[in-house]
Amino acid sequence: MSQTIFSRIIKGEIPCHKVYEDQHVLAFLDVSPLAPGHTLVIPKEEKATLDQLSDESAAAVGRVLPRICRAVMKATNTTAYNLLQNNGPAAHQAVFHVHFHIIPKPSESNGLGIHWPATKLDHAEGTKLANAIAAAIVKA
Ligand code: DGP
C-alpha cells in the first residue's frame, strides 16, 4: 500500500492533536471535524481498508476504542456519538489508511448526518446470503 498522510502523522512528520498512542494505535483530532471532539483512531499498520487489517492490529484498535469514546464523551460533555469507518471511494473514504471516526452528536443539527435508505429483508434471499457469508467467514 502506498503511504498516506496518516503514515506521515504516525512518523511525526506532520503534526496532529494527539489524544492517544500505544505500540499499535494512534488517535488524534480530525482536521475537518463534523463536531467538536471529532477524533480519528488509526492502526499504525498501513492498510487501506478494514478487511485487510491483521488480527493483531484489529484487536489493538478494538481494545482501546471504547476507552477513547468514553474520553471524547467526557471531554465534549456529550452522551451521543457515531462511530464511522469508511472503506473505498464509493463509501466516502478519502484517506486510504484504516481509520475509525468518533463523532460526537451534540445536537440534531451537529455531528454526522445519516441518509439511511432502509428496505425490507426478503427472508429467502436472507437465508442464502447468511449462508454465503458464514461459509466465507470460515475461509477468511
Ligand atoms: P474518510 O472520508 O473516512 O477517509 O475521512 C478522512 C478524514 O481524515 C477526514 O475527516 C479529514 C481527515 N484528515 C485528512 N487529512 C488529515 C490530516 O492531515 N490531519 C488530520 N488530523 N485529519 C486529516
Side-chain angles (χ1 to χ4, degrees):
M1 188 192 102
S2 59
Q3 293 214 331
T4 70
I5 193 106
F6 289 175
S7 297
R8 301 194 61 200
I9 289 175
I10 290 167
K11 286 184 198 146
E13 294 171 1
I14 292 178
C16 71
H17 293 282
K18 180 165 48 175
V19 302
Y20 177 83
E21 183 168 19
D22 66 28
Q23 191 189 346
H24 298 288
V25 180
L26 179 67
F28 51 94
L29 296 183
D30 192 298
V31 79
S32 308
L34 294 183
H38 182 163
T39 297
L40 299 174
V41 181
I42 70 172
K44 291 184 176 176
E45 185 179 9
E46 290 172 334
K47 295 293 181 189
T49 55
L50 187 63
D51 49 282
Q52 299 169 356
L53 201 60
S54 69
D55 285 357
E56 189 183 28
S57 286
V61 170
R63 196 174 59 83
V64 295
L65 258 180
R67 202 187 319 162
I68 300 172
C69 289
R70 287 192 291 273
V72 170
M73 290 166 70
K74 187 170 182 187
T76 59
N77 199 26
T78 49
T79 52
Y81 62 95
N82 293 98
L83 198 65
L84 178 68
Q85 205 278 310
N86 299 326
N87 297 280
H92 209 280
Q93 186 177 13
V95 177
F96 297 98
H97 181 126
V98 173
H99 53 281
F100 292 79
H101 297 258
I102 301 170
I103 309 169
K105 186 75 180 165
S107 71
E108 181 69 30
S109 56
N110 285 327
L112 182 68
I114 300 181
H115 171 60
W116 192 276
T119 61
K120 201 165 174 23
L121 179 65
D122 175 296
H123 291 293
E125 188 59 24
T127 301
K128 272 195 239 165
L129 273 172
N131 287 339
I133 295 168
I137 287 174
V138 173
K139 295 176 193 140

